Amino acid sequence: MAAPLALLLIVAVTIRAALFRTSLANLISERVEVVSPLNAWKRVVEGLALLDLDISPYSGDVFHETPMVIYLFHFLMDYAEITFMLADCLTAVALYLAVKDYNKQVFRKQKFALEADRIPMDCLELIRSPTEMYYIPLKVAMFYLLNPFTIVSCVAKCTCGLNNAVIALFILSTMRGGCLIYGLFTVASAGLYTKLDFALLSAIFLALATYHLSVPDLTPNIGLFWYFFAEMFDHFRLFFLCVFQINVFFYTLPLSIKLKEHPVFLIFMQIALIAIFKSYPTVGDLSLYMAFLPVWNHLYRFLRNIFLVSCVLLACSALFPVLWHLWIYAGSANSNFYYAITLLFSVAQILLVSDYFYAFLRREHHLTNGLYLKKKDGSEATLVLK
Amino acid sequence: MAARRCLGLWFFLITLCVVSTGADVLHTTPVTGTESSAAGTETVVARELPEAPSDPGEHTAAEPTREGEQNDRTRGGEQTLGQPTREEEQEQEKTREGEQTPAQPTREEEEEEEEQEQTRGEEEFTREEEEEELTREEEELTTEEEELTREEEEQTREEEELTTEEEELTTEEEELTREEEEQTREEEEEQQTTAQQEEQTKRWEATELEEEHVHDAAVPPLAGDPPAADPPSPPPSKDDFQEELVIRPLHSGDIYASFQFRTVWDADFMGDQKVSHYRLFPKSLGQVITKFSVRELHISFTQGYWRTMQWGQPYLPSPPGAELWVWFQDTVTDVDGTWKELTNVLSGIFCASLNFIDSTNTVQPSASFKPLGIGNVTDHSFLRYATLPREIVCTENLTPWKKLLPCGSKAGLSVLLKSEKLFHSTFHSQAVHVRPVCQDPQCRTTSMELRQTLNVVFDLHTSGQGKREWSLFKMFSRTLTEACPLASSSKVYVDVTDNPQGEQFELSPATPLLTQAVVLGDRRTYSVYDLTQQASFGSSRSLNMLLRWKNSHNNVVPPVMLRPLLHSERYVAGYGLQAGEIHTLIYNHHPYRAFPVLLLSAVPWYLRLYIHTLTVSSKGKDNRPSYIHYQPSKDRERPHLLEMLLQLPPNSVTEVTVEFERALLKWTEYTPDPNHGFYVGSSVISALVPSVVAMDTNSTLDRPLFSSFFPCKEEASYFMRVYTEPLLVNLPTPDFSMPYNVICLTCTVVAVGYGSLYNLLTRTFQVDEPSPGLAKRIANVIRRFRGVPLL
């Protein structure tokens, strides 16, 4: 198993290194879908430049990274590309190991359940086989490393790659520690974009938190916030800010109650929801939760509209640059075009996540109640949510 | 009624002043004592001394202040060495009185001697007295009044002003009567009578009034310099008003007219005693200075852009739009709050949108804007600088500006300031500068100087109908008939440097007076018309200078204009609405001398500058600024401020570039015409430029050899400020018609997410048991009643 992983890492690094050498790197690093005001590399460089001028990087509204990033790149400025490639590899390896552990757990649990005859007889086709699960960790690593979203994010030197690495390491440590609560806290801190670690610098933290929460920078991105708050009436701004920001945190508690048996799926759901509802999302955030999709391969038969959703996601990814060009450079379209695409992109993501959630819950239901349910009169029953 | 009476008085005074200046001062009759009459006539003789043919070289010493000396803090107020009439006159008087005076006494010295002699209260009192007597004559004057009241609107405004002034006067009347008795006693003293006499000769009002005077001891010093006398108890405050107009024919065929009005007042605005008696100094400004503890105030309104490469350097540069910079006293604790209030008040005074100055366009330059007056302030936390590049300047700004002048637009040079002509020009700039200046060379006490300037460039084609022929009437549709009676000096200068022998243009009426001055590093020659001299007006009693070019035969090539040594351009590079680059080009045209410049740019927050992209290069090489002061912006709070000290190599172009990103704003933050773009105020380049005069090291022409080896300190370099073009930058815009749609659509998407998750979280899977039909259910209810088994 180590050999394919090593090969994968080499391929991934080669692709990135090649892209760094082309003129595409500059183009990509300017894309609003790839970088946000929070994690643009340009702003990291700006922060360092400010530091060189003896100005606090936090005195302006350009730099919003954590102090750790400054320290890191103060020394690694010349090795930034390698750092970002390493971060991606680290994420992939961490996810690889975490999923491997998870699969072992799943298999063990399934074995216990089978031995205890808790699984209905007609559900045998839902039972997961070791051969099917064998390649899942590799697929996860591959989904992360070869995902175009991850690649462009890395080539743009978007610091969300570093955040992803931190989150992946947290997940790994959670798996190894096996503690659910710890995992929850980890994800919650991931929700705060891994900034709780540096809460010592409370002023900076507060400034960063306000920046996250009050959404002052309306630069377009793939999220829901920018156009909404650009068009918002001033006296409703605070209300809608609360409503929108609460979405990020709101689902944590009910989800952890509902999924108390399945922490990894909980983590997946939480990361996905944060990526959708956060104020400055980038495609790098998407790539992290998309890396988990191979883990839920077995849910495929219960997914309702995966085809539609993947088509929409693909189409939107292609349309982003097109409509951006029409609006910003050609002047033949206006902001509504780009907004429509971001809206569609968000809808697709929501459908994707809720579809997986639905499929997961449905499989669990089948695992307790049998796969082929019958009505009282013996005819084939349909399952509904009530 | 009171207002009307007061107005009558006002016009009467003005008429009288015209009469008295016209009929010469010999009408003056001694009022105080018998022995004063001799002195009086002597002074008159002194005044009649011919100034014109005397010695033009004497006037070369110094010109009335120019903006070239802006940075010269020490000699703020006393630049009147060359002022002919009054100074000479006084000098002679002093000499006669046996006082030790230097050969060229400065105004400050004289003023120091004379200081404290005349009380504010006295003036006001005598005015009041006159007023009472004049009411009797008011009826007779009404006809005159009507003649004079052509511009009704302005009068009504003045009426209001006068009413308020009058009210104040009456309240202080009692106090003044008390002072008056004391005053009368003092007036008896012999020492004073001589001084009193001098003053009499200089007064401009008619003497008939004085004869009717009962309390004739106190004489109103309404004009010129008050006499020297022993100080009575109230604090002294002298004021002085000068006006001048400089006309410079430009090489492009356009013509440049620059007005300067200078009021100096020895009042201590920051002292313990409240300044409440205003004479020449505008009260509205004085109160503002006191209330907000202003040390220095500079405000300019400009329409159009000064084309340095076509027109050369302006006397007083200003950026397009409005510019305001203020130094506060160091006693101010809440500078930002005071600044906010001040801008709002000034907005009212000048009818301008200065109230749009807030923290998002205010900066605190660290080096570029030093105080121009005295005071060595280094703490720039008391400085605020703001520009409004979008401000449109028009009549409503000119009228309040004119109202600050002592003569309003009634007399003197200000009669030329008619808005229909001034705004029909290529460039128009009006400014107000208030600063403290020294009263004497020792600088023991300070005066407040108010300088009102107005610069206008008339276009050859639109205003001049394509003919290179300019006259006052053609420019302003008015001619000059008199000096402002309140002015101690009133002059018109015409730049004839390029026309020494009259080969370029002819100037009529010709004036024998010539003066030379080093202006902006260049030695210029001017023809001078002294409006206080009746001879200037000639027989027609009006002065209408005419400049007619002799270029009917084309063999006379106009001399090439000297390239300005420092020149700058700025533009935005890049395409699209996402990012861009600001390029600033600074030209040093000096053939061999490098000099440093300070570049200041304040960029609004919505153009997010990236300081790490800053590059400075000259002659293809990297030119590292030796000093950078950068303040990053904060969204909706403060702009970017970038100040740099650059060394410009000789004969080079220095290019400063910095990249920026355009922000998307909230839809309410856009201007009503969002696709017009957003203005970015001019960059300011401040420099000490080596002067052209000093450049000429080989010239030993009319100077002794020993004087010319080392460049003369005075002329070696001069301070200059260059404003670049303001920028117009487009920002991406949202669709302004969409707020409801966007709110609905986005909320729908969020609701879809919330709804689906809510469903999955709260509901459970159940087998769908189709419910029985309606008929069956009703039948079952009936069956239950009947006790029959259900269906």
Side-chain angles (χ1 to χ4, degrees), chain A residues 30 46 59 61 216 227 230-231 336 339 382 384 386, chain B residues 578 611-612 630 633 635-636 638 667 735 746 764 766 768:
Chain A
E30 297 281 323
E46 177 73 7
S59 64
D61 254 352
Y227 206 54
E231 295 271 11
N336 293 338
Y339 164 67
T382 49
V384 287
K386 268 186 182 168
Chain B
Q578 189 176 6
I611 192 70
H612 71 268
Y630 179 66
S633 72
D635 286 3
R636 297 171 183 89
R638 62 159 198 239
W667 71 304
D735 186 340
T746 311
T764 51
Q766 282 175 13
D768 185 24

PDB file of all heavy atoms in Angstrom, chain A residues 30 46 59 61 216 227 230-231 336 339 382 384 386, chain B residues 578 611-612 630 633 635-636 638 667 735 746 764 766 768:
ATOM      1  N   GLU A  30      -4.741  34.925  -8.856  1.00  0.00           N
ATOM      2  CA  GLU A  30      -5.608  36.095  -8.836  1.00  0.00           C
ATOM      3  C   GLU A  30      -7.081  35.720  -8.838  1.00  0.00           C
ATOM      4  O   GLU A  30      -7.944  36.577  -8.697  1.00  0.00           O
ATOM      5  CB  GLU A  30      -5.331  36.972 -10.066  1.00  0.00           C
ATOM      6  CG  GLU A  30      -3.940  37.546 -10.141  1.00  0.00           C
ATOM      7  CD  GLU A  30      -3.778  38.766  -9.243  1.00  0.00           C
ATOM      8  OE1 GLU A  30      -4.737  39.539  -9.144  1.00  0.00           O
ATOM      9  OE2 GLU A  30      -2.703  38.903  -8.638  1.00  0.00           O
ATOM     10  N   GLU A  46       2.167  40.742   1.599  1.00  0.00           N
ATOM     11  CA  GLU A  46       1.939  42.114   2.035  1.00  0.00           C
ATOM     12  C   GLU A  46       2.183  42.249   3.540  1.00  0.00           C
ATOM     13  O   GLU A  46       2.794  43.214   3.996  1.00  0.00           O
ATOM     14  CB  GLU A  46       0.496  42.518   1.688  1.00  0.00           C
ATOM     15  CG  GLU A  46       0.075  43.890   2.134  1.00  0.00           C
ATOM     16  CD  GLU A  46       0.698  44.995   1.298  1.00  0.00           C
ATOM     17  OE1 GLU A  46       1.360  44.660   0.296  1.00  0.00           O
ATOM     18  OE2 GLU A  46       0.534  46.162   1.657  1.00  0.00           O
ATOM     19  N   SER A  59      -2.525  46.354  11.545  1.00  0.00           N
ATOM     20  CA  SER A  59      -3.013  47.726  11.651  1.00  0.00           C
ATOM     21  C   SER A  59      -3.871  48.084  10.447  1.00  0.00           C
ATOM     22  O   SER A  59      -4.650  49.013  10.500  1.00  0.00           O
ATOM     23  CB  SER A  59      -1.834  48.690  11.763  1.00  0.00           C
ATOM     24  OG  SER A  59      -1.071  48.630  10.576  1.00  0.00           O
ATOM     25  N   ASP A  61      -6.258  46.560   6.915  1.00  0.00           N
ATOM     26  CA  ASP A  61      -7.284  45.561   6.635  1.00  0.00           C
ATOM     27  C   ASP A  61      -6.863  44.635   5.517  1.00  0.00           C
ATOM     28  O   ASP A  61      -7.685  44.133   4.776  1.00  0.00           O
ATOM     29  CB  ASP A  61      -8.603  46.248   6.275  1.00  0.00           C
ATOM     30  CG  ASP A  61      -9.592  46.128   7.417  1.00  0.00           C
ATOM     31  OD1 ASP A  61      -9.280  45.393   8.369  1.00  0.00           O
ATOM     32  OD2 ASP A  61     -10.645  46.760   7.351  1.00  0.00           O
ATOM     33  N   PRO A 216     -16.714  42.460   6.150  1.00  0.00           N
ATOM     34  CA  PRO A 216     -16.547  43.805   5.595  1.00  0.00           C
ATOM     35  C   PRO A 216     -16.073  43.792   4.143  1.00  0.00           C
ATOM     36  O   PRO A 216     -16.366  44.704   3.391  1.00  0.00           O
ATOM     37  CB  PRO A 216     -15.495  44.438   6.499  1.00  0.00           C
ATOM     38  CG  PRO A 216     -14.725  43.303   7.053  1.00  0.00           C
ATOM     39  CD  PRO A 216     -15.639  42.125   7.095  1.00  0.00           C
ATOM     40  N   TYR A 227     -22.539  38.869  -2.398  1.00  0.00           N
ATOM     41  CA  TYR A 227     -23.533  39.641  -3.125  1.00  0.00           C
ATOM     42  C   TYR A 227     -24.723  39.974  -2.231  1.00  0.00           C
ATOM     43  O   TYR A 227     -25.302  41.049  -2.314  1.00  0.00           O
ATOM     44  CB  TYR A 227     -23.986  38.866  -4.361  1.00  0.00           C
ATOM     45  CG  TYR A 227     -24.498  39.753  -5.469  1.00  0.00           C
ATOM     46  CD1 TYR A 227     -23.727  40.790  -5.952  1.00  0.00           C
ATOM     47  CD2 TYR A 227     -25.748  39.556  -6.030  1.00  0.00           C
ATOM     48  CE1 TYR A 227     -24.177  41.612  -6.953  1.00  0.00           C
ATOM     49  CE2 TYR A 227     -26.207  40.372  -7.042  1.00  0.00           C
ATOM     50  CZ  TYR A 227     -25.416  41.396  -7.502  1.00  0.00           C
ATOM     51  OH  TYR A 227     -25.867  42.209  -8.503  1.00  0.00           O
ATOM     52  N   ALA A 230     -23.684  42.830  -0.235  1.00  0.00           N
ATOM     53  CA  ALA A 230     -23.503  44.026  -1.057  1.00  0.00           C
ATOM     54  C   ALA A 230     -24.852  44.656  -1.374  1.00  0.00           C
ATOM     55  O   ALA A 230     -24.968  45.866  -1.520  1.00  0.00           O
ATOM     56  CB  ALA A 230     -22.772  43.678  -2.349  1.00  0.00           C
ATOM     57  N   GLU A 231     -25.857  43.819  -1.459  1.00  0.00           N
ATOM     58  CA  GLU A 231     -27.179  44.325  -1.836  1.00  0.00           C
ATOM     59  C   GLU A 231     -28.099  44.521  -0.627  1.00  0.00           C
ATOM     60  O   GLU A 231     -29.261  44.876  -0.784  1.00  0.00           O
ATOM     61  CB  GLU A 231     -27.847  43.332  -2.801  1.00  0.00           C
ATOM     62  CG  GLU A 231     -27.127  43.185  -4.130  1.00  0.00           C
ATOM     63  CD  GLU A 231     -27.618  44.183  -5.158  1.00  0.00           C
ATOM     64  OE1 GLU A 231     -28.351  45.097  -4.777  1.00  0.00           O
ATOM     65  OE2 GLU A 231     -27.276  44.027  -6.341  1.00  0.00           O
ATOM     66  N   ASN A 336     -24.793  40.065 -11.789  1.00  0.00           N
ATOM     67  CA  ASN A 336     -25.821  39.048 -11.591  1.00  0.00           C
ATOM     68  C   ASN A 336     -25.442  37.704 -12.192  1.00  0.00           C
ATOM     69  O   ASN A 336     -25.805  36.663 -11.668  1.00  0.00           O
ATOM     70  CB  ASN A 336     -27.133  39.504 -12.233  1.00  0.00           C
ATOM     71  CG  ASN A 336     -27.700  40.697 -11.519  1.00  0.00           C
ATOM     72  OD1 ASN A 336     -27.367  40.922 -10.359  1.00  0.00           O
ATOM     73  ND2 ASN A 336     -28.528  41.446 -12.187  1.00  0.00           N
ATOM     74  N   TYR A 339     -23.107  36.050  -9.869  1.00  0.00           N
ATOM     75  CA  TYR A 339     -23.884  35.719  -8.675  1.00  0.00           C
ATOM     76  C   TYR A 339     -24.729  34.480  -8.911  1.00  0.00           C
ATOM     77  O   TYR A 339     -24.802  33.582  -8.060  1.00  0.00           O
ATOM     78  CB  TYR A 339     -24.752  36.919  -8.310  1.00  0.00           C
ATOM     79  CG  TYR A 339     -25.869  36.605  -7.353  1.00  0.00           C
ATOM     80  CD1 TYR A 339     -25.591  36.235  -6.032  1.00  0.00           C
ATOM     81  CD2 TYR A 339     -27.203  36.673  -7.742  1.00  0.00           C
ATOM     82  CE1 TYR A 339     -26.606  35.946  -5.149  1.00  0.00           C
ATOM     83  CE2 TYR A 339     -28.221  36.386  -6.866  1.00  0.00           C
ATOM     84  CZ  TYR A 339     -27.920  36.024  -5.573  1.00  0.00           C
ATOM     85  OH  TYR A 339     -28.924  35.729  -4.704  1.00  0.00           O
ATOM     86  N   THR A 382     -42.548   1.793   0.351  1.00  0.00           N
ATOM     87  CA  THR A 382     -41.617   2.900   0.094  1.00  0.00           C
ATOM     88  C   THR A 382     -41.313   3.579   1.421  1.00  0.00           C
ATOM     89  O   THR A 382     -42.187   3.748   2.273  1.00  0.00           O
ATOM     90  CB  THR A 382     -42.224   3.928  -0.865  1.00  0.00           C
ATOM     91  OG1 THR A 382     -43.522   4.241  -0.404  1.00  0.00           O
ATOM     92  CG2 THR A 382     -42.278   3.405  -2.284  1.00  0.00           C
ATOM     93  N   VAL A 384     -40.440   6.754   3.692  1.00  0.00           N
ATOM     94  CA  VAL A 384     -40.576   8.211   3.698  1.00  0.00           C
ATOM     95  C   VAL A 384     -40.084   8.752   5.029  1.00  0.00           C
ATOM     96  O   VAL A 384     -40.027   8.029   6.023  1.00  0.00           O
ATOM     97  CB  VAL A 384     -42.040   8.669   3.483  1.00  0.00           C
ATOM     98  CG1 VAL A 384     -42.459   8.444   2.045  1.00  0.00           C
ATOM     99  CG2 VAL A 384     -42.953   7.981   4.454  1.00  0.00           C
ATOM    100  N   LYS A 386     -40.733  10.866   8.130  1.00  0.00           N
ATOM    101  CA  LYS A 386     -41.900  11.420   8.812  1.00  0.00           C
ATOM    102  C   LYS A 386     -41.501  11.960  10.169  1.00  0.00           C
ATOM    103  O   LYS A 386     -40.630  11.394  10.810  1.00  0.00           O
ATOM    104  CB  LYS A 386     -42.976  10.359   8.967  1.00  0.00           C
ATOM    105  CG  LYS A 386     -43.946  10.369   7.794  1.00  0.00           C
ATOM    106  CD  LYS A 386     -45.078   9.416   8.021  1.00  0.00           C
ATOM    107  CE  LYS A 386     -46.003   9.411   6.802  1.00  0.00           C
ATOM    108  NZ  LYS A 386     -46.949   8.292   6.867  1.00  0.00           N
TER     109      LYS A 386
ATOM    110  N   GLN B 578     -10.697  44.286 -11.818  1.00  0.00           N
ATOM    111  CA  GLN B 578     -10.237  43.554 -10.650  1.00  0.00           C
ATOM    112  C   GLN B 578      -9.032  44.209  -9.979  1.00  0.00           C
ATOM    113  O   GLN B 578      -9.027  44.432  -8.779  1.00  0.00           O
ATOM    114  CB  GLN B 578      -9.888  42.125 -11.033  1.00  0.00           C
ATOM    115  CG  GLN B 578      -9.607  41.271  -9.805  1.00  0.00           C
ATOM    116  CD  GLN B 578      -9.351  39.829 -10.156  1.00  0.00           C
ATOM    117  OE1 GLN B 578      -9.266  39.456 -11.316  1.00  0.00           O
ATOM    118  NE2 GLN B 578      -9.240  39.004  -9.136  1.00  0.00           N
ATOM    119  N   ILE B 611       1.656  47.224  -0.767  1.00  0.00           N
ATOM    120  CA  ILE B 611       2.905  47.976  -0.650  1.00  0.00           C
ATOM    121  C   ILE B 611       4.083  47.125  -1.108  1.00  0.00           C
ATOM    122  O   ILE B 611       5.105  47.666  -1.526  1.00  0.00           O
ATOM    123  CB  ILE B 611       3.077  48.480   0.799  1.00  0.00           C
ATOM    124  CG1 ILE B 611       4.192  49.511   0.902  1.00  0.00           C
ATOM    125  CG2 ILE B 611       3.348  47.352   1.766  1.00  0.00           C
ATOM    126  CD1 ILE B 611       3.863  50.801   0.249  1.00  0.00           C
ATOM    127  N   HIS B 612       3.932  45.815  -1.079  1.00  0.00           N
ATOM    128  CA  HIS B 612       5.072  45.015  -1.511  1.00  0.00           C
ATOM    129  C   HIS B 612       5.266  45.078  -3.026  1.00  0.00           C
ATOM    130  O   HIS B 612       6.296  44.664  -3.538  1.00  0.00           O
ATOM    131  CB  HIS B 612       4.919  43.564  -1.051  1.00  0.00           C
ATOM    132  CG  HIS B 612       3.856  42.783  -1.773  1.00  0.00           C
ATOM    133  ND1 HIS B 612       2.556  42.707  -1.319  1.00  0.00           N
ATOM    134  CD2 HIS B 612       3.900  42.060  -2.907  1.00  0.00           C
ATOM    135  CE1 HIS B 612       1.855  41.961  -2.154  1.00  0.00           C
ATOM    136  NE2 HIS B 612       2.634  41.547  -3.121  1.00  0.00           N
ATOM    137  N   TYR B 630       4.229  54.569   5.557  1.00  0.00           N
ATOM    138  CA  TYR B 630       3.048  53.952   4.962  1.00  0.00           C
ATOM    139  C   TYR B 630       2.052  53.629   6.059  1.00  0.00           C
ATOM    140  O   TYR B 630       2.423  53.120   7.111  1.00  0.00           O
ATOM    141  CB  TYR B 630       3.434  52.661   4.229  1.00  0.00           C
ATOM    142  CG  TYR B 630       2.261  51.940   3.611  1.00  0.00           C
ATOM    143  CD1 TYR B 630       1.551  52.519   2.569  1.00  0.00           C
ATOM    144  CD2 TYR B 630       1.861  50.691   4.077  1.00  0.00           C
ATOM    145  CE1 TYR B 630       0.473  51.866   2.001  1.00  0.00           C
ATOM    146  CE2 TYR B 630       0.782  50.038   3.508  1.00  0.00           C
ATOM    147  CZ  TYR B 630       0.095  50.630   2.466  1.00  0.00           C
ATOM    148  OH  TYR B 630      -0.981  49.984   1.907  1.00  0.00           O
ATOM    149  N   SER B 633      -4.669  50.905   4.934  1.00  0.00           N
ATOM    150  CA  SER B 633      -6.040  51.390   5.109  1.00  0.00           C
ATOM    151  C   SER B 633      -6.825  50.456   6.005  1.00  0.00           C
ATOM    152  O   SER B 633      -6.415  49.333   6.282  1.00  0.00           O
ATOM    153  CB  SER B 633      -6.722  51.439   3.754  1.00  0.00           C
ATOM    154  OG  SER B 633      -6.990  50.126   3.330  1.00  0.00           O
ATOM    155  N   ASP B 635     -10.908  49.248   6.157  1.00  0.00           N
ATOM    156  CA  ASP B 635     -12.134  49.346   5.372  1.00  0.00           C
ATOM    157  C   ASP B 635     -13.126  50.304   6.023  1.00  0.00           C
ATOM    158  O   ASP B 635     -13.451  50.163   7.194  1.00  0.00           O
ATOM    159  CB  ASP B 635     -12.770  47.966   5.228  1.00  0.00           C
ATOM    160  CG  ASP B 635     -11.994  47.105   4.254  1.00  0.00           C
ATOM    161  OD1 ASP B 635     -10.969  47.577   3.767  1.00  0.00           O
ATOM    162  OD2 ASP B 635     -12.424  45.969   4.002  1.00  0.00           O
ATOM    163  N   ARG B 636     -13.580  51.228   5.276  1.00  0.00           N
ATOM    164  CA  ARG B 636     -14.586  52.200   5.693  1.00  0.00           C
ATOM    165  C   ARG B 636     -14.135  53.044   6.877  1.00  0.00           C
ATOM    166  O   ARG B 636     -14.932  53.650   7.554  1.00  0.00           O
ATOM    167  CB  ARG B 636     -15.904  51.517   6.037  1.00  0.00           C
ATOM    168  CG  ARG B 636     -16.492  50.825   4.831  1.00  0.00           C
ATOM    169  CD  ARG B 636     -17.671  49.956   5.116  1.00  0.00           C
ATOM    170  NE  ARG B 636     -18.079  49.297   3.892  1.00  0.00           N
ATOM    171  CZ  ARG B 636     -17.604  48.136   3.495  1.00  0.00           C
ATOM    172  NH1 ARG B 636     -16.744  47.499   4.258  1.00  0.00           N
ATOM    173  NH2 ARG B 636     -17.982  47.610   2.368  1.00  0.00           N
ATOM    174  N   ARG B 638     -10.274  54.398   7.218  1.00  0.00           N
ATOM    175  CA  ARG B 638      -9.221  55.345   6.869  1.00  0.00           C
ATOM    176  C   ARG B 638      -8.563  54.928   5.565  1.00  0.00           C
ATOM    177  O   ARG B 638      -8.586  53.759   5.186  1.00  0.00           O
ATOM    178  CB  ARG B 638      -8.199  55.451   8.005  1.00  0.00           C
ATOM    179  CG  ARG B 638      -7.485  54.168   8.298  1.00  0.00           C
ATOM    180  CD  ARG B 638      -6.184  54.409   9.016  1.00  0.00           C
ATOM    181  NE  ARG B 638      -5.362  53.236   8.887  1.00  0.00           N
ATOM    182  CZ  ARG B 638      -4.905  52.531   9.923  1.00  0.00           C
ATOM    183  NH1 ARG B 638      -5.159  52.900  11.146  1.00  0.00           N
ATOM    184  NH2 ARG B 638      -4.172  51.463   9.708  1.00  0.00           N
ATOM    185  N   TRP B 667     -24.011  48.387  -1.957  1.00  0.00           N
ATOM    186  CA  TRP B 667     -24.695  49.164  -3.013  1.00  0.00           C
ATOM    187  C   TRP B 667     -25.013  50.582  -2.566  1.00  0.00           C
ATOM    188  O   TRP B 667     -25.129  51.486  -3.377  1.00  0.00           O
ATOM    189  CB  TRP B 667     -25.967  48.448  -3.475  1.00  0.00           C
ATOM    190  CG  TRP B 667     -27.092  48.441  -2.480  1.00  0.00           C
ATOM    191  CD1 TRP B 667     -27.048  47.984  -1.202  1.00  0.00           C
ATOM    192  CD2 TRP B 667     -28.411  48.914  -2.678  1.00  0.00           C
ATOM    193  NE1 TRP B 667     -28.253  48.134  -0.598  1.00  0.00           N
ATOM    194  CE2 TRP B 667     -29.117  48.692  -1.486  1.00  0.00           C
ATOM    195  CE3 TRP B 667     -29.083  49.480  -3.757  1.00  0.00           C
ATOM    196  CZ2 TRP B 667     -30.461  49.048  -1.331  1.00  0.00           C
ATOM    197  CZ3 TRP B 667     -30.417  49.822  -3.610  1.00  0.00           C
ATOM    198  CH2 TRP B 667     -31.084  49.600  -2.405  1.00  0.00           C
ATOM    199  N   ASP B 735     -25.610  44.998  -9.229  1.00  0.00           N
ATOM    200  CA  ASP B 735     -26.787  45.472  -9.954  1.00  0.00           C
ATOM    201  C   ASP B 735     -27.674  46.202  -8.947  1.00  0.00           C
ATOM    202  O   ASP B 735     -28.169  45.610  -8.001  1.00  0.00           O
ATOM    203  CB  ASP B 735     -27.514  44.279 -10.574  1.00  0.00           C
ATOM    204  CG  ASP B 735     -28.656  44.735 -11.450  1.00  0.00           C
ATOM    205  OD1 ASP B 735     -29.100  45.882 -11.277  1.00  0.00           O
ATOM    206  OD2 ASP B 735     -29.110  43.950 -12.291  1.00  0.00           O
ATOM    207  N   THR B 746     -31.015  34.393  -2.373  1.00  0.00           N
ATOM    208  CA  THR B 746     -30.019  33.848  -1.455  1.00  0.00           C
ATOM    209  C   THR B 746     -30.697  33.223  -0.245  1.00  0.00           C
ATOM    210  O   THR B 746     -30.304  32.142   0.219  1.00  0.00           O
ATOM    211  CB  THR B 746     -29.052  34.950  -1.020  1.00  0.00           C
ATOM    212  OG1 THR B 746     -28.593  35.639  -2.168  1.00  0.00           O
ATOM    213  CG2 THR B 746     -27.869  34.372  -0.284  1.00  0.00           C
ATOM    214  N   THR B 764     -37.744  10.642  10.991  1.00  0.00           N
ATOM    215  CA  THR B 764     -37.194   9.292  10.866  1.00  0.00           C
ATOM    216  C   THR B 764     -37.824   8.613   9.655  1.00  0.00           C
ATOM    217  O   THR B 764     -38.864   9.037   9.156  1.00  0.00           O
ATOM    218  CB  THR B 764     -37.503   8.462  12.121  1.00  0.00           C
ATOM    219  OG1 THR B 764     -38.908   8.566  12.375  1.00  0.00           O
ATOM    220  CG2 THR B 764     -36.709   8.942  13.308  1.00  0.00           C
ATOM    221  N   GLN B 766     -39.883   5.944   7.758  1.00  0.00           N
ATOM    222  CA  GLN B 766     -41.036   5.088   8.039  1.00  0.00           C
ATOM    223  C   GLN B 766     -41.551   4.531   6.733  1.00  0.00           C
ATOM    224  O   GLN B 766     -41.401   5.146   5.685  1.00  0.00           O
ATOM    225  CB  GLN B 766     -42.135   5.895   8.741  1.00  0.00           C
ATOM    226  CG  GLN B 766     -41.825   6.110  10.207  1.00  0.00           C
ATOM    227  CD  GLN B 766     -42.819   7.005  10.874  1.00  0.00           C
ATOM    228  OE1 GLN B 766     -43.876   7.282  10.300  1.00  0.00           O
ATOM    229  NE2 GLN B 766     -42.494   7.438  12.071  1.00  0.00           N
ATOM    230  N   ASP B 768     -44.134   3.887   4.118  1.00  0.00           N
ATOM    231  CA  ASP B 768     -45.256   4.716   3.692  1.00  0.00           C
ATOM    232  C   ASP B 768     -46.505   3.861   3.600  1.00  0.00           C
ATOM    233  O   ASP B 768     -46.665   3.042   2.689  1.00  0.00           O
ATOM    234  CB  ASP B 768     -44.917   5.345   2.340  1.00  0.00           C
ATOM    235  CG  ASP B 768     -45.994   6.319   1.914  1.00  0.00           C
ATOM    236  OD1 ASP B 768     -46.696   6.823   2.822  1.00  0.00           O
ATOM    237  OD2 ASP B 768     -46.121   6.573   0.705  1.00  0.00           O
TER     238      ASP B 768
END
